[in-house]
Amino acid sequence: MTLVRTPTLDIDCTITGSEDGLPAILLPGFPYGARDYDAVAPILAAEGWRVVVPSLRGHGATRFLRDDTPRSGQQAALGQDLIDLMDALAIPRAVVGGYDWGGRAACIVAALHPERVAGLVTGTGYNIRDIAGSARPGLPAQELRHWYQWYFHTERGAAAMRDTPADVNLLLWQMWSPDWNFSDAEFLETAADWTNPDYAAVVIQSYRHRHRAAAGDPAYDAMEAALAAQPLITVPTVVLHGESDGVSPPEQSEDCQRHFTGPFAREVIPAVGHCIPREAPEVFAAAVRVFGSGA
């Protein structure tokens, strides 16, 4: 474990591979953790990459530096955390990859700071939230898949995430990745990340903010304004989508290329759900490898 200090956080990172290798920053999603890349990182490290896997704010040993910093999980905070991490590690340019929350951070940096991104690997497509349009209802089937988000808008859901996060998250793992036969040990290793004292607050704020039910941290107002324009992503991109994803079915990314103007590829992975790096580590590593000469 390496703690990397940024202006806001001490970020818990696992850094492997060659110190002077091409940098790849791999970001986990919700409701998972940095163990997502336990099988991906060694593949890339053995090929000479410098692989950085951080724990997101509110996860693992990552800690806020100040008690008065809002425990925000809004998308701009995740994006700024990635930029701050790159600056703290003196990484001018990297391949960035992730899915869910991590894919959101990666997409934000690729969109707003393309000079810092040599290549983007993003699970389920364009992950920048259209918060202004969040009041528009989706299809009923998708509203049902998002039951946990509506649950988190209630004090009952907030209490569940505070008191019994593993119970909620176990159900999400099972629903979102029906073909993934994860072990009890795998689940418990990641569940340790959810004992972070800020976990529940960050999660609840994230899901409330994206639906305009909670205020954001004013420190990120300018970035949120830029993201409201749904900026195009110009860097080379590989989109990965699990065929059996139980929360974001693959048809949702079928037209996502309209958000990308650079070289683009999309791959739907059979018998894989939402947690792509755990369920298909070789596929994820191969997607990063595409950009091996560009960082």
Side-chain angles (χ1 to χ4, degrees), residues 115 182 199:
E115 75 283 356
F182 56 87
Y199 180 74

Side-chain angles (χ1 to χ4, degrees), residues 24-257:
I25 304 176
L26 308 180
L27 299 133
F30 171 86
Y32 306 93
R35 303 302 296 263
D36 287 353
Y37 295 97
D38 279 3
V40 178
I43 296 172
L44 296 173
E47 297 172 2
W49 290 78
R50 181 189 185 194
V51 184
V52 180
V53 181
S55 288
L56 302 179
R57 53 173 52 207
H59 292 68
T62 294
R63 294 291 186 273
F64 288 87
L65 300 182
R66 294 173 56 92
D67 290 340
D68 61 355
T69 300
R71 272 36 178 179
S72 171
Q74 69 193 88
Q75 61 179 352
L78 301 176
Q80 187 61 52
D81 287 349
L82 176 52
I83 285 291
D84 290 345
L85 177 63
M86 294 177 71
D87 290 345
L89 291 173
I91 297 175
R93 197 162 182 257
V95 176
V96 295
Y99 73 104
D100 203 276
W101 286 24
R104 185 156 301 118
C107 282
I108 288 169
V109 175
L112 300 184
H113 300 279
E115 75 283 356
R116 305 295 298 269
V117 177
L120 169 67
V121 179
T122 173
T124 71
Y126 184 81
N127 280 298
I128 299 174
R129 303 292 308 185
D130 178 13
I131 293 176
S134 63
R136 292 191 297 269
L139 294 173
Q142 189 59 42
E143 300 282 25
L144 177 61
R145 295 183 193 104
H146 283 167
W147 67 270
Y148 64 100
Q149 298 188 22
W150 322 134
Y151 185 44
F152 293 161
H153 279 57
T154 70
E155 291 311 303
R156 184 183 180 101
M161 189 49 54
R162 182 182 64 246
D163 299 337
T164 57
D167 290 348
V168 178
N169 293 349
L170 176 60
L171 179 60
L172 296 179
W173 281 35
Q174 293 167 337
M175 294 179 71
W176 294 1
S177 296
D179 296 316
W180 179 27
N181 296 314
F182 56 87
S183 68
D184 290 344
E186 283 179 285
F187 181 76
L188 291 173
E189 285 171 347
T190 290
D193 278 5
W194 310 328
T195 62
N196 183 304
D198 297 311
Y199 180 74
V202 169
V203 169
I204 296 303
Q205 196 277 346
S206 175
Y207 285 101
R208 292 182 179 181
H209 180 268
R210 70 176 59 184
H211 293 289
R212 299 188 296 178
D217 182 342
Y220 305 113
D221 283 353
M223 184 179 286
E224 289 290 356
L227 297 175
Q230 295 285 275
L232 295 173
I233 292 175
T234 61
V235 307
T237 297
V238 174
V239 168
L240 300 176
H241 210 136
E243 185 179 46
S244 59
D245 190 319
V247 66
S248 300
E251 56 266 24
Q252 292 187 4
S253 68
E254 286 178 349
D255 69 344
C256 74
Q257 190 170 356

